[in-house]
Every structure is written in structure tokens, then in C-alpha cells.
Amino acid sequence: MNELPVGGRPVYQFVVSFTVPPSHHEDFVRLAAKTAQDSLAHEPGSHRFEVVADEENPDLFYLNEVYADVDAFNTHAGGPYFTAFFAEASRYAEGPTWLMRGTLVGAPTAR
């Protein structure tokens, strides 16, 4: 598994949402998980790719992604895993809706 960069290098992160009809929940999760696995294994700038189900709306899913920098995200967005994801997901999912995107500032903190 890739680790987050350290030493002051930028980290580009975003959260997007997709609305998925009940008949395609499993399809979407399977597809997003495969995209995550492939991206993390084959794209050096990909650091985190999480699929999150909304706790109140069962049709709402979030993708939380972290890249070394915006260039690494752009490489991902121009690559085969991103293309394959949207080729399938666009047949049944509405989105993405951008909820947050930007570059990490300051030192990462955790509790």
C-alpha cells in the first residue's frame, strides 16, 4: 500500500459524490473498489482511494481520493482506470458532484 508523502511535498485530495439507484449499488461499489485497487497498484502518485456509503441516504456514495499532487491526479484522470470507471458508472450513476478539492496545508495531524 502506498503511503502519504512526507517532508512538505504537496498532497492533493478531493471528495466527490455519486447518486446510484438501488439496483446498481453493488455494481458501483465493485467498480469503484476495482478502480481503487488498480490505481493504487499501478499509479505511483495515487495514495488513497476510499468508497464511502452515506449513512442517511443509501443511494449516495462518496469517493475520497488522495494523490501526491495535482499532476498525479491529472495523470490518473487521463489514464485507463479512470476511463473504464466512467465508461461503466455513467450508464447508471449520477455524478460526480465535487464536494471538496484542494492541496493539504501544514503538517498532517492525527488523533
Side-chain angles (χ1 to χ4, degrees), residues 1-2 29-43 46 48-51 76 81:
M1 180 173 178
N2 294 328
V29 171
R30 174 197 46 77
L31 176 63
K34 173 141 179 48
T35 303
Q37 179 181 9
D38 290 341
S39 296
L40 292 170
H42 303 291
E43 296 173 347
S46 294
R48 187 169 74 217
F49 193 123
E50 299 167 329
V51 183
H76 167 72
Y81 312 115

Side-chain angles (χ1 to χ4, degrees), residues 5-28:
V6 295
R9 293 189 296 164
V11 174
Y12 184 72
Q13 181 170 350
F14 65 86
V15 177
V16 294
S17 67
F18 288 85
T19 302
V20 181
S23 61
H24 287 286
H25 287 181
E26 289 182 20
D27 298 327
F28 184 83

Side-chain angles (χ1 to χ4, degrees), residues 47-105:
H47 295 295
R48 187 169 74 217
F49 193 123
E50 299 167 329
V51 183
V52 181
D54 189 90
E55 67 180 23
E56 294 181 7
N57 180 349
D59 296 340
L60 192 57
F61 293 87
Y62 305 100
L63 300 183
N64 181 27
E65 301 182 34
V66 176
Y67 296 87
D69 52 34
V70 72
D71 291 334
F73 167 70
N74 289 333
T75 297
H76 167 72
Y81 312 115
F82 184 93
T83 301
F85 173 83
F86 277 99
E88 182 176 331
S90 65
R91 295 188 325 225
Y92 53 78
E94 182 181 312
T97 299
W98 289 86
L99 302 173
M100 181 279 295
R101 62 180 150 188
T103 302
L104 179 68
V105 293

